[in-house]
Amino acid sequence: MSALLTVQSLQVQYGAVNAVRGIDLEVREGEIIALLGANGAGKSSTLNALVGLAPASAGKITFKGQDVTGSAPERFASLGMTLSPEGRRVFGTLSVQENLLMGAYSMRDKGEIKTAWERVFDLFPILRERREQFAGTLSGGQQQMLAVGRALMSNPRLLLLDEPSLGLAPKIVEQVFELISVLRKQGVTLMVVEQNVSMALEIADRGYVMASGRIAASGTAAELRNSDTLQAAYLGAD
Amino acid sequence: MDLFLQQTVNAFALGGTYALLALGLAMVFSTMGLINFAHGELMTIAGYILMACGLAGVPFAFSILLAIAAAVLAAIVMERIAFRPVRNASGATMLVTSFAVSMILQVLFQNFISARSQAVLVPEILSESVRFGGLVIGVNKIAAIVTTIVMLIFLDRFMKHHRIGIAMRAAAEDFSVARLMGIRANTVIAGAFALSGFLAGVAAVLWVSQRASVDPLMGFTPVLKAFIAAILGGLGSLRGAVAGGFLLGFIEIYLAAYLPSGMQEFRDPIALCLVVLVLIFRPNGLIPSPALKAEKV
């Protein structure tokens, strides 16, 4: 299968700060890609640039064969690429149900929404129980499930997860990783930014390691596990 | 006791009008971070439409609809022409832009209509009053209270059950994530402006039917008060705007009724001191906005 997402020489600049300095990435249909690197390496900026939340100052992003560089964020849900952002960012003053409904905002067909709804509730039965509750009153783990569920409501072909295990108890972290495998079985392609490198490389097919806004290493998960570059990237050496 | 009840009715009528205006300000602020000082000019536009309709002999019920429609249209045009270009600018830039819009409109009214106050033909019935036991209540006061209640119920339904209403709440809490869901920024912002224009139009009809006149600066005072009410309630919070509007209405009316006559000229300073007092104890307002809460967590 050919590439679902291709990124060529992508650069992201915030004022004088070069967060991403020209990277190339490729995600093929059905893969799980781990995007690794120390804090400030440019991982979140990369994901944000992919969905138009951060401005791409140079480079080209191609999704499903379409040039989507510089598209507005609101276009991506209907194109089939969704980001579940860092820090969960559920709508705390909306109920669980309303959060999910917003996730399906790009869909018009009532039947399609209902199917998406059932799928999310099957994945996360706890959300069905709490659907009337304000999202802000859920626990951290439940909020993470809601954030992923909300992103799944638009039936994405490619789901971008930014730090899905951040700040969660170890047991919940395991659930999150199990979920990623389940999603792959359902045919979702995933790109995951993770702090938990060993777990990420266990489930990923391939990975990219970023350092100072560049790709420092890339390869299959097995290759990366045994690579020195990975450790160097985390220690901050170039 | 009768005097107290009488004044309470007045407070509900005035507070309700403030609440509608403050809600309009809060809707726009919560979605795009703009404090729209030109909100008052939306009222004035609606006021002039009422005047023109009166002169042209249009039935009052129909001219109300026209006035509100004009305020909605003006709000949408205002957003498109003046505020969309500065959407991602700083709060200060947007604030100054809204001042400019306000001034330009005021000058246009002065030069093309009249600098002086114009009479508006208001049906006789609005200046009559009804007796309830010992209370004498003006029909216009009853109309204001009923309208406020209907509007608040309508808005509550819209924000709770309509797709766009829910999207507006989502966007008010986290605009970028709302966009990620496919909620278009333009829809939400234009929607917020349209609703704020609707509220300003309704408030203008209530305001004008108490005074039966309109002048180029008509919108200034009520919107200034509404702005205070919005801050009192918690800037950007819709429920807060309503609470702040009513509280300010109550403070003003009770001060006017119960302050000794020698102190009456200090009414506004005293009212503002009370507002400051509330803000000292609740710096984010009575009901802080969800966006503020989200930042703190």
Side-chain angles (χ1 to χ4, degrees), chain B residues 83-109:
Chain B
F83 298 122
R84 195 167 292 187
V86 294
R87 187 180 289 172
N88 296 316
S90 73
T93 308
M94 291 196 277
L95 184 65
V96 172
T97 307
S98 81
F99 268 121
V101 172
S102 166
M103 297 280 176
I104 291 168
L105 288 173
Q106 284 175 12
V107 170
L108 289 177
F109 300 147

PDB file of all heavy atoms in Angstrom, chain B residues 83-109:
ATOM      1  N   PHE B  83     -14.110  43.206  11.937  1.00  0.00           N
ATOM      2  CA  PHE B  83     -13.454  42.354  12.924  1.00  0.00           C
ATOM      3  C   PHE B  83     -12.773  41.129  12.343  1.00  0.00           C
ATOM      4  O   PHE B  83     -11.841  40.614  12.927  1.00  0.00           O
ATOM      5  CB  PHE B  83     -14.443  41.950  14.025  1.00  0.00           C
ATOM      6  CG  PHE B  83     -14.957  43.135  14.794  1.00  0.00           C
ATOM      7  CD1 PHE B  83     -16.309  43.412  14.866  1.00  0.00           C
ATOM      8  CD2 PHE B  83     -14.067  43.997  15.410  1.00  0.00           C
ATOM      9  CE1 PHE B  83     -16.770  44.515  15.555  1.00  0.00           C
ATOM     10  CE2 PHE B  83     -14.513  45.114  16.106  1.00  0.00           C
ATOM     11  CZ  PHE B  83     -15.877  45.374  16.171  1.00  0.00           C
ATOM     12  N   ARG B  84     -13.218  40.654  11.172  1.00  0.00           N
ATOM     13  CA  ARG B  84     -12.569  39.478  10.625  1.00  0.00           C
ATOM     14  C   ARG B  84     -11.096  39.754  10.300  1.00  0.00           C
ATOM     15  O   ARG B  84     -10.249  38.916  10.595  1.00  0.00           O
ATOM     16  CB  ARG B  84     -13.321  38.953   9.395  1.00  0.00           C
ATOM     17  CG  ARG B  84     -12.882  37.545   9.025  1.00  0.00           C
ATOM     18  CD  ARG B  84     -13.789  36.886   8.037  1.00  0.00           C
ATOM     19  NE  ARG B  84     -15.119  36.589   8.575  1.00  0.00           N
ATOM     20  CZ  ARG B  84     -16.028  35.888   7.905  1.00  0.00           C
ATOM     21  NH1 ARG B  84     -15.771  35.433   6.709  1.00  0.00           N
ATOM     22  NH2 ARG B  84     -17.211  35.663   8.448  1.00  0.00           N
ATOM     23  N   PRO B  85     -10.773  40.943   9.732  1.00  0.00           N
ATOM     24  CA  PRO B  85      -9.353  41.192   9.439  1.00  0.00           C
ATOM     25  C   PRO B  85      -8.448  41.229  10.670  1.00  0.00           C
ATOM     26  O   PRO B  85      -7.250  41.033  10.547  1.00  0.00           O
ATOM     27  CB  PRO B  85      -9.375  42.565   8.758  1.00  0.00           C
ATOM     28  CG  PRO B  85     -10.754  42.725   8.247  1.00  0.00           C
ATOM     29  CD  PRO B  85     -11.635  41.998   9.207  1.00  0.00           C
ATOM     30  N   VAL B  86      -9.012  41.509  11.846  1.00  0.00           N
ATOM     31  CA  VAL B  86      -8.149  41.588  13.037  1.00  0.00           C
ATOM     32  C   VAL B  86      -8.391  40.395  13.970  1.00  0.00           C
ATOM     33  O   VAL B  86      -8.051  40.450  15.141  1.00  0.00           O
ATOM     34  CB  VAL B  86      -8.370  42.912  13.817  1.00  0.00           C
ATOM     35  CG1 VAL B  86      -7.923  44.096  12.992  1.00  0.00           C
ATOM     36  CG2 VAL B  86      -9.815  43.077  14.264  1.00  0.00           C
ATOM     37  N   ARG B  87      -8.958  39.324  13.402  1.00  0.00           N
ATOM     38  CA  ARG B  87      -9.389  38.228  14.269  1.00  0.00           C
ATOM     39  C   ARG B  87      -8.258  37.661  15.116  1.00  0.00           C
ATOM     40  O   ARG B  87      -8.447  37.341  16.278  1.00  0.00           O
ATOM     41  CB  ARG B  87     -10.002  37.118  13.430  1.00  0.00           C
ATOM     42  CG  ARG B  87     -10.624  36.048  14.286  1.00  0.00           C
ATOM     43  CD  ARG B  87     -11.233  34.965  13.455  1.00  0.00           C
ATOM     44  NE  ARG B  87     -12.435  35.386  12.766  1.00  0.00           N
ATOM     45  CZ  ARG B  87     -13.051  34.655  11.856  1.00  0.00           C
ATOM     46  NH1 ARG B  87     -12.558  33.502  11.500  1.00  0.00           N
ATOM     47  NH2 ARG B  87     -14.143  35.095  11.269  1.00  0.00           N
ATOM     48  N   ASN B  88      -7.073  37.512  14.503  1.00  0.00           N
ATOM     49  CA  ASN B  88      -5.998  36.897  15.278  1.00  0.00           C
ATOM     50  C   ASN B  88      -5.064  37.912  15.907  1.00  0.00           C
ATOM     51  O   ASN B  88      -4.013  37.561  16.418  1.00  0.00           O
ATOM     52  CB  ASN B  88      -5.216  35.920  14.393  1.00  0.00           C
ATOM     53  CG  ASN B  88      -6.111  34.782  13.947  1.00  0.00           C
ATOM     54  OD1 ASN B  88      -6.863  34.235  14.752  1.00  0.00           O
ATOM     55  ND2 ASN B  88      -6.086  34.467  12.658  1.00  0.00           N
ATOM     56  N   ALA B  89      -5.478  39.181  15.872  1.00  0.00           N
ATOM     57  CA  ALA B  89      -4.646  40.218  16.482  1.00  0.00           C
ATOM     58  C   ALA B  89      -4.837  40.190  17.998  1.00  0.00           C
ATOM     59  O   ALA B  89      -5.646  39.441  18.534  1.00  0.00           O
ATOM     60  CB  ALA B  89      -5.041  41.568  15.911  1.00  0.00           C
ATOM     61  N   SER B  90      -4.065  41.041  18.680  1.00  0.00           N
ATOM     62  CA  SER B  90      -4.140  41.049  20.138  1.00  0.00           C
ATOM     63  C   SER B  90      -5.473  41.644  20.596  1.00  0.00           C
ATOM     64  O   SER B  90      -6.163  42.316  19.836  1.00  0.00           O
ATOM     65  CB  SER B  90      -3.007  41.877  20.712  1.00  0.00           C
ATOM     66  OG  SER B  90      -3.279  43.241  20.490  1.00  0.00           O
ATOM     67  N   GLY B  91      -5.803  41.401  21.852  1.00  0.00           N
ATOM     68  CA  GLY B  91      -7.041  41.926  22.419  1.00  0.00           C
ATOM     69  C   GLY B  91      -7.102  43.442  22.309  1.00  0.00           C
ATOM     70  O   GLY B  91      -8.160  44.014  22.029  1.00  0.00           O
ATOM     71  N   ALA B  92      -5.950  44.099  22.493  1.00  0.00           N
ATOM     72  CA  ALA B  92      -5.921  45.560  22.440  1.00  0.00           C
ATOM     73  C   ALA B  92      -6.290  46.054  21.041  1.00  0.00           C
ATOM     74  O   ALA B  92      -7.068  46.996  20.876  1.00  0.00           O
ATOM     75  CB  ALA B  92      -4.546  46.069  22.838  1.00  0.00           C
ATOM     76  N   THR B  93      -5.743  45.401  20.015  1.00  0.00           N
ATOM     77  CA  THR B  93      -6.047  45.793  18.635  1.00  0.00           C
ATOM     78  C   THR B  93      -7.540  45.688  18.365  1.00  0.00           C
ATOM     79  O   THR B  93      -8.163  46.587  17.792  1.00  0.00           O
ATOM     80  CB  THR B  93      -5.284  44.886  17.638  1.00  0.00           C
ATOM     81  OG1 THR B  93      -3.916  44.897  17.998  1.00  0.00           O
ATOM     82  CG2 THR B  93      -5.479  45.342  16.217  1.00  0.00           C
ATOM     83  N   MET B  94      -8.118  44.568  18.815  1.00  0.00           N
ATOM     84  CA  MET B  94      -9.542  44.364  18.577  1.00  0.00           C
ATOM     85  C   MET B  94     -10.374  45.401  19.332  1.00  0.00           C
ATOM     86  O   MET B  94     -11.349  45.923  18.812  1.00  0.00           O
ATOM     87  CB  MET B  94      -9.937  42.944  18.996  1.00  0.00           C
ATOM     88  CG  MET B  94      -9.349  41.891  18.085  1.00  0.00           C
ATOM     89  SD  MET B  94     -10.167  40.305  18.276  1.00  0.00           S
ATOM     90  CE  MET B  94      -9.325  39.649  19.678  1.00  0.00           C
ATOM     91  N   LEU B  95      -9.927  45.716  20.555  1.00  0.00           N
ATOM     92  CA  LEU B  95     -10.660  46.688  21.362  1.00  0.00           C
ATOM     93  C   LEU B  95     -10.677  48.047  20.674  1.00  0.00           C
ATOM     94  O   LEU B  95     -11.724  48.694  20.544  1.00  0.00           O
ATOM     95  CB  LEU B  95     -10.020  46.798  22.748  1.00  0.00           C
ATOM     96  CG  LEU B  95     -10.718  47.703  23.748  1.00  0.00           C
ATOM     97  CD1 LEU B  95     -12.090  47.148  24.086  1.00  0.00           C
ATOM     98  CD2 LEU B  95      -9.888  47.831  25.023  1.00  0.00           C
ATOM     99  N   VAL B  96      -9.493  48.466  20.189  1.00  0.00           N
ATOM    100  CA  VAL B  96      -9.400  49.766  19.522  1.00  0.00           C
ATOM    101  C   VAL B  96     -10.233  49.748  18.242  1.00  0.00           C
ATOM    102  O   VAL B  96     -10.902  50.731  17.914  1.00  0.00           O
ATOM    103  CB  VAL B  96      -7.923  50.122  19.243  1.00  0.00           C
ATOM    104  CG1 VAL B  96      -7.825  51.367  18.388  1.00  0.00           C
ATOM    105  CG2 VAL B  96      -7.182  50.319  20.561  1.00  0.00           C
ATOM    106  N   THR B  97     -10.205  48.622  17.528  1.00  0.00           N
ATOM    107  CA  THR B  97     -11.023  48.508  16.316  1.00  0.00           C
ATOM    108  C   THR B  97     -12.496  48.719  16.656  1.00  0.00           C
ATOM    109  O   THR B  97     -13.214  49.433  15.940  1.00  0.00           O
ATOM    110  CB  THR B  97     -10.842  47.114  15.676  1.00  0.00           C
ATOM    111  OG1 THR B  97      -9.461  46.884  15.495  1.00  0.00           O
ATOM    112  CG2 THR B  97     -11.560  47.029  14.351  1.00  0.00           C
ATOM    113  N   SER B  98     -12.934  48.118  17.766  1.00  0.00           N
ATOM    114  CA  SER B  98     -14.353  48.249  18.090  1.00  0.00           C
ATOM    115  C   SER B  98     -14.688  49.691  18.484  1.00  0.00           C
ATOM    116  O   SER B  98     -15.759  50.188  18.165  1.00  0.00           O
ATOM    117  CB  SER B  98     -14.749  47.256  19.189  1.00  0.00           C
ATOM    118  OG  SER B  98     -14.408  47.724  20.465  1.00  0.00           O
ATOM    119  N   PHE B  99     -13.730  50.381  19.127  1.00  0.00           N
ATOM    120  CA  PHE B  99     -13.940  51.808  19.416  1.00  0.00           C
ATOM    121  C   PHE B  99     -14.100  52.591  18.123  1.00  0.00           C
ATOM    122  O   PHE B  99     -14.968  53.454  17.990  1.00  0.00           O
ATOM    123  CB  PHE B  99     -12.752  52.389  20.194  1.00  0.00           C
ATOM    124  CG  PHE B  99     -12.941  52.325  21.672  1.00  0.00           C
ATOM    125  CD1 PHE B  99     -12.051  51.634  22.468  1.00  0.00           C
ATOM    126  CD2 PHE B  99     -14.030  52.967  22.277  1.00  0.00           C
ATOM    127  CE1 PHE B  99     -12.232  51.553  23.843  1.00  0.00           C
ATOM    128  CE2 PHE B  99     -14.208  52.895  23.654  1.00  0.00           C
ATOM    129  CZ  PHE B  99     -13.309  52.183  24.435  1.00  0.00           C
ATOM    130  N   ALA B 100     -13.231  52.262  17.149  1.00  0.00           N
ATOM    131  CA  ALA B 100     -13.275  52.973  15.872  1.00  0.00           C
ATOM    132  C   ALA B 100     -14.622  52.762  15.191  1.00  0.00           C
ATOM    133  O   ALA B 100     -15.258  53.712  14.713  1.00  0.00           O
ATOM    134  CB  ALA B 100     -12.136  52.498  14.973  1.00  0.00           C
ATOM    135  N   VAL B 101     -15.082  51.511  15.174  1.00  0.00           N
ATOM    136  CA  VAL B 101     -16.372  51.214  14.549  1.00  0.00           C
ATOM    137  C   VAL B 101     -17.468  52.026  15.233  1.00  0.00           C
ATOM    138  O   VAL B 101     -18.324  52.643  14.588  1.00  0.00           O
ATOM    139  CB  VAL B 101     -16.686  49.697  14.640  1.00  0.00           C
ATOM    140  CG1 VAL B 101     -18.101  49.404  14.167  1.00  0.00           C
ATOM    141  CG2 VAL B 101     -15.685  48.908  13.828  1.00  0.00           C
ATOM    142  N   SER B 102     -17.409  52.043  16.568  1.00  0.00           N
ATOM    143  CA  SER B 102     -18.401  52.764  17.345  1.00  0.00           C
ATOM    144  C   SER B 102     -18.417  54.255  16.990  1.00  0.00           C
ATOM    145  O   SER B 102     -19.458  54.845  16.708  1.00  0.00           O
ATOM    146  CB  SER B 102     -18.085  52.535  18.828  1.00  0.00           C
ATOM    147  OG  SER B 102     -18.784  53.428  19.626  1.00  0.00           O
ATOM    148  N   MET B 103     -17.215  54.870  16.957  1.00  0.00           N
ATOM    149  CA  MET B 103     -17.106  56.306  16.644  1.00  0.00           C
ATOM    150  C   MET B 103     -17.605  56.614  15.238  1.00  0.00           C
ATOM    151  O   MET B 103     -18.334  57.579  15.009  1.00  0.00           O
ATOM    152  CB  MET B 103     -15.629  56.748  16.696  1.00  0.00           C
ATOM    153  CG  MET B 103     -15.012  56.595  18.049  1.00  0.00           C
ATOM    154  SD  MET B 103     -15.492  57.980  19.062  1.00  0.00           S
ATOM    155  CE  MET B 103     -14.769  57.513  20.608  1.00  0.00           C
ATOM    156  N   ILE B 104     -17.159  55.781  14.276  1.00  0.00           N
ATOM    157  CA  ILE B 104     -17.555  56.013  12.883  1.00  0.00           C
ATOM    158  C   ILE B 104     -19.073  55.997  12.768  1.00  0.00           C
ATOM    159  O   ILE B 104     -19.681  56.889  12.163  1.00  0.00           O
ATOM    160  CB  ILE B 104     -16.924  54.949  11.952  1.00  0.00           C
ATOM    161  CG1 ILE B 104     -15.412  55.151  11.871  1.00  0.00           C
ATOM    162  CG2 ILE B 104     -17.550  55.001  10.562  1.00  0.00           C
ATOM    163  CD1 ILE B 104     -14.664  54.012  11.217  1.00  0.00           C
ATOM    164  N   LEU B 105     -19.698  55.010  13.385  1.00  0.00           N
ATOM    165  CA  LEU B 105     -21.150  54.908  13.301  1.00  0.00           C
ATOM    166  C   LEU B 105     -21.820  56.109  13.968  1.00  0.00           C
ATOM    167  O   LEU B 105     -22.778  56.679  13.432  1.00  0.00           O
ATOM    168  CB  LEU B 105     -21.634  53.595  13.926  1.00  0.00           C
ATOM    169  CG  LEU B 105     -21.324  52.353  13.097  1.00  0.00           C
ATOM    170  CD1 LEU B 105     -21.681  51.089  13.858  1.00  0.00           C
ATOM    171  CD2 LEU B 105     -22.078  52.393  11.762  1.00  0.00           C
ATOM    172  N   GLN B 106     -21.285  56.525  15.121  1.00  0.00           N
ATOM    173  CA  GLN B 106     -21.879  57.673  15.809  1.00  0.00           C
ATOM    174  C   GLN B 106     -21.829  58.925  14.926  1.00  0.00           C
ATOM    175  O   GLN B 106     -22.799  59.682  14.839  1.00  0.00           O
ATOM    176  CB  GLN B 106     -21.150  57.941  17.124  1.00  0.00           C
ATOM    177  CG  GLN B 106     -21.517  56.947  18.214  1.00  0.00           C
ATOM    178  CD  GLN B 106     -20.698  57.137  19.476  1.00  0.00           C
ATOM    179  OE1 GLN B 106     -20.011  58.141  19.636  1.00  0.00           O
ATOM    180  NE2 GLN B 106     -20.771  56.166  20.366  1.00  0.00           N
ATOM    181  N   VAL B 107     -20.676  59.123  14.271  1.00  0.00           N
ATOM    182  CA  VAL B 107     -20.541  60.294  13.410  1.00  0.00           C
ATOM    183  C   VAL B 107     -21.500  60.200  12.217  1.00  0.00           C
ATOM    184  O   VAL B 107     -22.114  61.190  11.812  1.00  0.00           O
ATOM    185  CB  VAL B 107     -19.075  60.456  12.947  1.00  0.00           C
ATOM    186  CG1 VAL B 107     -18.958  61.508  11.869  1.00  0.00           C
ATOM    187  CG2 VAL B 107     -18.194  60.784  14.140  1.00  0.00           C
ATOM    188  N   LEU B 108     -21.625  58.987  11.675  1.00  0.00           N
ATOM    189  CA  LEU B 108     -22.564  58.808  10.562  1.00  0.00           C
ATOM    190  C   LEU B 108     -23.986  59.156  10.998  1.00  0.00           C
ATOM    191  O   LEU B 108     -24.714  59.845  10.277  1.00  0.00           O
ATOM    192  CB  LEU B 108     -22.509  57.370  10.036  1.00  0.00           C
ATOM    193  CG  LEU B 108     -21.254  56.968   9.275  1.00  0.00           C
ATOM    194  CD1 LEU B 108     -21.326  55.488   8.877  1.00  0.00           C
ATOM    195  CD2 LEU B 108     -21.063  57.833   8.039  1.00  0.00           C
ATOM    196  N   PHE B 109     -24.371  58.696  12.180  1.00  0.00           N
ATOM    197  CA  PHE B 109     -25.717  59.009  12.678  1.00  0.00           C
ATOM    198  C   PHE B 109     -25.878  60.519  12.820  1.00  0.00           C
ATOM    199  O   PHE B 109     -26.891  61.098  12.432  1.00  0.00           O
ATOM    200  CB  PHE B 109     -25.989  58.361  14.039  1.00  0.00           C
ATOM    201  CG  PHE B 109     -25.907  56.863  14.042  1.00  0.00           C
ATOM    202  CD1 PHE B 109     -25.453  56.188  15.168  1.00  0.00           C
ATOM    203  CD2 PHE B 109     -26.296  56.117  12.944  1.00  0.00           C
ATOM    204  CE1 PHE B 109     -25.375  54.814  15.189  1.00  0.00           C
ATOM    205  CE2 PHE B 109     -26.224  54.737  12.955  1.00  0.00           C
ATOM    206  CZ  PHE B 109     -25.752  54.083  14.087  1.00  0.00           C
TER     207      PHE B 109
END
